[in-house]
């Protein structure tokens, strides 16, 4: 194997994982950005304001609007006026949105299974543990 620095190797593997995930999402009719938005909404304990959703997704607020527009058009979310601040809009995940979130989560899991199938179960467990250590360090 060529001498590749760890960060480059991790970037390549991440890219392959993202492509596999996008490929599995396509038949569901959502893209990875929309799936991320559904995950953020499903994981929140309450509806999120548009700006809060943008913060969760680490994107600028104006970039969240087309994502929410598409999800709303497909019935996966709905907008509501925030009763605490009538100038703000809440994004509420619908039951169909929760179902799509579960389906997209399964697509992500399957993409990971496909990619890491070359590793033994012990190797996968070790990789998960090591990445968990790296991910757990303070930012």
């Amino acid at each position: 194997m060529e001498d590749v620095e760890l960060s480059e190797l991790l970037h390549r593997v991440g890219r392959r994982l993202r492509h596999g995930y996008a490929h599995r999402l396509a038949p569901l009719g959502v893209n990875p950005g929309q799936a991320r938005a559904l995950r953020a909404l499903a994981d929140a304990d309450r509806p999120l304001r548009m700006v809060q959703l943008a913060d969760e997704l680490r994107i600028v607020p104006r970039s969240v609007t087309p994502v929410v527009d598409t999800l709303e058009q497909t019935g996966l979310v709905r907008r509501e006026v925030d009763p605490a601040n009538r100038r703000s809009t809440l994004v509420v995940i619908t039951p169909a949105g929760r179902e799509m979130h579960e389906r997209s989560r399964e697509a992500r899991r399957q993409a990971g299974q496909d990619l890491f199938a070359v590793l033994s179960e012990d190797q996968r467990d070790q990789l998960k543990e090591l990445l968990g250590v790296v991910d757990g360090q303070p930012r």
Side-chain angles (χ1 to χ4, degrees):
M1 182 176 180
E2 63 182 289
D3 187 25
V4 179
E5 80 178 52
L6 180 60
S7 59
E8 176 61 23
L9 192 56
L10 190 58
H11 176 75
R12 287 183 196 178
V13 171
R15 191 166 152 223
R16 288 182 58 193
L17 183 60
R18 286 188 303 278
H19 283 272
Y21 180 42
H23 178 74
R24 288 190 166 277
L25 284 177
L28 302 179
V30 294
N31 64 38
Q34 294 161 349
R36 282 183 59 225
L38 289 173
R39 183 171 62 231
L41 291 165
D43 289 349
D45 59 349
R46 66 197 184 301
L48 298 177
R49 290 183 179 156
M50 296 279 282
V51 70
Q52 291 171 315
L53 180 57
D55 286 347
E56 284 292 318
L57 300 176
R58 295 185 188 100
I59 60 176
V60 295
R62 71 177 178 274
S63 295
V64 82
T65 301
V67 174
V68 172
D69 286 347
T70 302
L71 292 173
E72 187 175 40
Q73 289 166 3
T74 56
L76 301 176
V77 302
R78 70 177 182 277
R79 287 179 169 101
E80 293 181 358
V81 174
D82 184 350
N85 179 353
R86 302 204 47 85
R87 292 177 297 169
S88 293
T89 301
L90 294 175
V91 182
V92 180
I93 190 167
T94 65
R98 288 195 183 280
E99 182 180 328
M100 182 60 74
H101 162 63
E102 290 301 323
R103 292 174 71 194
S104 66
R105 193 170 83 181
E106 177 59 24
R108 188 176 68 240
R109 189 191 64 72
Q110 189 62 50
Q113 256 186 346
D114 292 349
L115 182 63
F116 296 113
V118 298
L119 300 177
S120 70
E121 187 174 345
D122 286 345
Q123 288 172 320
R124 286 190 304 269
D125 289 344
Q126 186 178 14
L127 180 59
K128 184 176 177 181
E129 182 179 331
L130 292 170
L131 291 174
V133 170
V134 174
D135 187 48
Q137 70 183 332
R139 295 182 186 260

